[in-house]
Amino acid sequence: MADEIKAWSLLKTSARRSARLSIVIPIVFGLTAVITILSSVFLPDTYEGAIQVLIRGLIIGFSIILVFYLINWFFCLSFLRETKNLEIEEDKLRRLISMNRYCCILFMIPIVFFVGMFGFHKVKTFAEGNVQKGTLDQILYHYLIEK
């Protein structure tokens, strides 16, 4: 019983934290792209200067994205380590934890991390019980969690 209470709190905090951090990555990407393109078009006078501004802006933007990715990566790693040895009897909780594990593993692979980002939001929604009737979330919740 103590493992289940610990698992619920760990799942909710991990899903909430990962969902928040995964929202930041596309926002930073969009801001980086817009600011870099506009500054490389309007600031320099020459073509070479525009290329220099574009390269520097992309380096700075992708570095910020990498920092947020690595922070979320380490949060996922700590979640995987903490849930490794928990004994859980409740089916719903076990399925939610396994779904969050899969999302963490997919997020940790750089090529398919967008799938993990989407999964974090679904795990957060399912763990908090905010499933709206008549939506795709209800269908996913029924087939993935309730069974």
Side-chain angles (χ1 to χ4, degrees):
M1 189 67 177
D3 279 349
E4 290 182 5
I5 295 170
K6 180 182 175 183
W8 270 113
S9 66
L10 181 64
L11 176 70
K12 286 182 181 179
T13 57
S14 175
R16 193 175 304 125
R17 184 185 309 138
S18 297
R20 286 180 185 160
L21 281 174
S22 65
I23 288 173
V24 171
I25 293 172
I27 290 171
V28 170
F29 179 76
L31 286 174
T32 299
V34 169
I35 291 170
T36 302
I37 290 172
L38 290 177
S39 63
S40 67
V41 168
F42 293 118
L43 289 180
D45 293 334
T46 63
Y47 176 75
E48 290 80 19
I51 296 297
Q52 290 290 329
V53 170
L54 184 68
I55 290 172
R56 287 182 187 144
L58 290 177
I59 288 171
I60 292 169
F62 286 131
S63 299
I64 295 170
I65 291 171
L66 181 66
V67 167
F68 283 112
Y69 176 78
L70 288 176
I71 290 170
N72 205 358
W73 198 91
F74 285 115
F75 283 145
C76 285
L77 184 65
S78 69
F79 174 78
L80 290 173
R81 285 183 179 170
E82 289 180 23
T83 59
K84 186 177 179 180
N85 297 323
L86 291 177
E87 296 294 327
I88 302 167
E89 296 176 10
E90 187 180 353
D91 288 336
K92 178 182 174 182
L93 178 60
R94 192 170 351 112
R95 288 187 182 123
L96 280 170
I97 287 177
S98 66
M99 186 176 172
N100 201 23
R101 282 181 187 161
Y102 296 141
C103 293
C104 282
I105 291 169
L106 287 174
F107 183 80
M108 292 171 123
I109 302 169
I111 297 171
V112 292
F113 76 96
F114 288 113
V115 177
M117 287 172 41
F118 177 73
F120 291 142
H121 296 289
K122 293 304 166 196
V123 170
K124 178 182 163 249
T125 303
F126 296 160
E128 292 175 350
N130 296 335
V131 180
Q132 297 178 355
K133 293 186 177 186
T135 62
L136 179 63
D137 286 350
Q138 181 187 13
I139 296 168
L140 289 173
Y141 184 77
H142 176 70
Y143 285 109
L144 294 176
I145 306 303
E146 283 184 351
K147 285 189 181 184

